Amino acid sequence: MSLIVQKYGGTSVGSVERINAVAERVKTWRDLGDQVVVVVSAMSGETDRLIALARKIQERPNPREMDVLVSTGEQVTIALLSMALENLGCPAKSYTGGQVHIRTDSAHCKARIRDIDGVRVKADLDAGRVVVVAGFQGVDDGGNITTLGRGGSDTSAVAMAAALNADECQIYTDVDGVYTTDPRIEPRARKLDRITFEEMLEMASLGSKVLQIRAVEFAGKYRVPLRVLSSFEAGEGTLISLEEETVEDAVISGIAFNRDEAKLTILGVPDQPGVAHKILGPISDANIEVDMIIQNIAADEATTDFTFTVHRNDYERAREILGSAARILAAREVLGDDEIVKISLVGVGMRSHAGIASRMFAALAKEGINIRMISTSEIKISVVVDEKYLELGVRALHDAFDLHLADSAATGSNSASN
Ligand code: ADP
Ligand code: ASP
Ligand code: MG
């Protein structure tokens, strides 16, 4: 007998019909003799609807109250799915995050799971029930409801699987696996049978929203076998492989992109020790995360220019803070642009293959796309370009690296090493 954790996202539980279909799928697994824990999201559109409601009352809603509000979406789904399961003669019980002791820190709206007490869930499973848990939510030490950030039900599911030592965590969604890039942007994107955990972590952190980044982190840390599959059709989906050698030796596995970026530049700052700290210190004190950073020596060598990116939601605030820093440092000018995107190539094979960056830049140049920033790490290359070039850029790169072909030029056995 196996213990499986299944997570169904918003689209998969988006209507009564779909909830009934999920119940059928869950029952099929249980009838095979498996113990099943189901983690569900709110019905599609519901979390957005609740956030919009709050914003009609407060421009920057109180985070604690926001969590009380948005966690209700998942509570609706657990009850409806449990009813649907009972209709099929499958005993089920629903629980909120707090009821199964999903304990988090107190960072409202972006809380991190600390631990889960699986005792209650285990007892229900042993009594033959399917356990239906609300994703996205937990409770802090003070008993306050918390939520885990958008897409957080993925993390609830993986954390639950880790706590219960499950045999597999299955993420059911509206695509049948992880693709070489978002199939909504590039219809020629190809489903991957496997992707390494490390690559999936990069893809998620670089903007690919198919899995929440913390879900991937958890899966790696606790070695939870993780699979992404379609809730609408049968198939093997994509396995997030913890064993690197089992994966085909692709140089490039995929392309991620992030539309949530904004860029800020401060020009003509005196080039002295401590200047980076004076610029970025106040930004980090305001709890604003900085992503890419570039520092350039200006032509006069006495001053320097700084450019960095932040989340688009933090753009206005970061710009204000930078304005104050600019006055203190007697900088020449502050510039900003919130119509940019980041596009990234990801692949573990980059470690052993040169020439990927130049091929990437050539493909973008051919389409007349200007690169505004570049950053690289061992297994990824990211560029910042104007937002209007997102689709063209992703498609051009997908094409340049033949990612639509299983046996593509992006594999190590071919010519990517030139
Ligand atoms: P759910 O509501 O089930 O959590 P999400 O919308 O969060 O679903 O994630 C699934 C979506 O992720 C897909 O519909 C797809 O548009 C998008 N996506 C982005 N990048 C990828 C990728 N590389 N492979 C598959 N899907 C991706
Ligand atoms: N309902 C939450 C959201 O829309 C969590 C999730 O679906 O994973 O972000
Ligand atoms: Mg999601």
Side-chain angles (χ1 to χ4, degrees):
M1 183 170 52
S2 308
L3 197 168
I4 311 287
V5 175
Q6 301 188 332
K7 179 257 171 176
Y8 292 90
T11 318
S12 312
V13 293
S15 65
V16 166
E17 293 70 33
R18 288 191 171 166
I19 290 175
N20 279 326
V22 166
E24 296 274 3
R25 186 180 287 273
V26 171
K27 183 174 184 296
T28 308
W29 280 86
R30 190 179 160 274
D31 288 350
L32 290 169
D34 292 319
Q35 292 188 323
V36 188
V37 175
V38 187
V39 174
V40 284
S41 289
M43 295 169 78
S44 60
E46 181 60 8
T47 309
D48 289 338
R49 188 185 75 84
L50 294 167
I51 293 171
L53 266 182
R55 294 234 164 96
K56 282 190 186 161
I57 294 192
Q58 274 188 316
E59 199 185 327
R60 281 194 199 163
N62 176 314
R64 181 189 180 278
E65 302 315 324
M66 198 66 179
D67 279 350
V68 174
L69 178 70
V70 294
S71 62
T72 60
E74 273 69 14
Q75 194 168 334
V76 170
T77 328
I78 53 170
L80 293 177
L81 179 59
S82 301
M83 292 174 198
L85 283 163
E86 295 225 331
N87 269 350
L88 299 175
C90 180
K93 214 163 171 182
S94 67
Y95 290 106
T96 64
Q99 285 175 316
V100 285
H101 306 289
I102 300 182
R103 289 191 339 123
T104 70
D105 61 20
S106 300
H108 285 291
C109 302
K110 51 179 180 191
R112 284 178 181 267
I113 296 179
R114 284 194 176 138
D115 59 77
I116 298 180
D117 177 3
V119 173
R120 194 162 185 182
V121 176
K122 277 245 163 72
D124 275 318
L125 291 173
D126 291 341
R129 292 189 196 102
V130 168
V131 178
V132 183
V133 179
F136 183 49
Q137 56 180 259
V139 66
D140 73 2
D141 287 343
N144 302 292
I145 297 174
T146 54
T147 64
L148 311 178
R150 298 306 304 266
S153 298
D154 295 335
T155 304
S156 309
V158 179
M160 192 53 94
L164 297 169
N165 205 7
D167 294 283
E168 188 164 279
C169 181
Q170 304 172 339
I171 307 285
Y172 288 91
T173 182
D174 57 3
V175 275
D176 61 349
V178 178
Y179 278 67
T180 46
T181 194
D182 188 341
R184 286 188 215 195
I185 296 287
E186 168 53 287
R188 294 205 305 165
R190 180 172 57 88
K191 184 182 86 73
L192 301 164
D193 293 334
R194 285 162 181 266
I195 182 167
T196 66
F197 153 76
E198 210 182 349
E199 287 167 324
M200 192 64 239
L201 194 61
E202 281 286 3
M203 291 279 279
S205 67
L206 293 167
S208 167
K209 293 196 169 120
V210 63
L211 282 176
Q212 202 199 31
I213 175 168
R214 285 190 201 152
V216 188
E217 280 169 2
F218 251 99
K221 189 166 172 197
Y222 297 101
R223 303 195 69 77
V224 177
L226 184 61
R227 197 179 279 280
V228 177
L229 322 100
S230 164
S231 58
F232 304 122
E233 52 198 72
E236 293 292 298
T238 301
L239 180 70
I240 318 303
S241 169
L242 294 163
E243 310 300 331
E244 208 165 289
E245 64 273 19
T246 59
V247 178
E248 56 179 296
D249 64 338
V251 175
I252 306 300
S253 290
I255 302 169
F257 55 85
N258 191 345
R259 301 175 206 261
D260 299 330
E261 302 260 335
K263 148 169 106 69
L264 290 153
T265 302
I266 179 164
L267 294 171
V269 189
D271 193 12
Q272 293 158 357
V275 76
H277 177 64
K278 282 187 186 138
I279 294 169
L280 296 173
I283 301 277
S284 101
D285 291 344
N287 235 335
I288 297 174
E289 244 175 76
V290 171
D291 180 18
M292 291 159 97
I293 306 174
I294 291 178
Q295 183 186 351
N296 266 333
I297 300 284
D300 59 12
E301 288 193 11
T303 64
T304 179
D305 301 338
F306 243 87
T307 300
F308 58 92
T309 60
V310 295
H311 193 286
R312 222 176 264 189
N313 291 348
D314 294 324
Y315 173 65
E316 294 298 342
R317 223 151 42 96
R319 202 174 170 156
E320 276 167 34
I321 295 168
L322 198 59
S324 314
R327 279 190 292 280
I328 295 166
L329 291 166
R332 199 168 65 245
E333 200 179 353
V334 168
L335 303 170
D337 187 351
D338 64 350
E339 289 177 4
I340 54 150
V341 289
K342 183 168 73 174
I343 305 178
S344 309
L345 281 182
V346 176
V348 285
M350 271 187 217
R351 282 194 187 116
S352 46
H353 289 79
I356 304 295
S358 67
R359 223 165 134 189
M360 179 185 197
F361 304 153
L364 295 172
K366 200 168 140 222
E367 299 297 337
I369 301 175
N370 194 19
I371 300 171
R372 307 221 169 257
M373 292 172 87
I374 300 169
S375 104
T376 63
S377 77
E378 229 189 343
I379 67 162
K380 71 119 208 279
I381 305 170
S382 299
V383 293
V384 167
V385 300
D386 291 348
E387 188 172 21
K388 64 181 181 211
Y389 292 128
L390 171 65
E391 287 172 18
L392 182 62
V394 169
R395 288 181 194 151
L397 294 175
H398 203 270
D399 200 46
F401 288 91
D402 287 333
L403 294 182
H404 58 289
L405 303 174
D407 190 16
S408 70
T411 60
S413 55
N414 214 306
S415 58
S417 54
N418 55 18

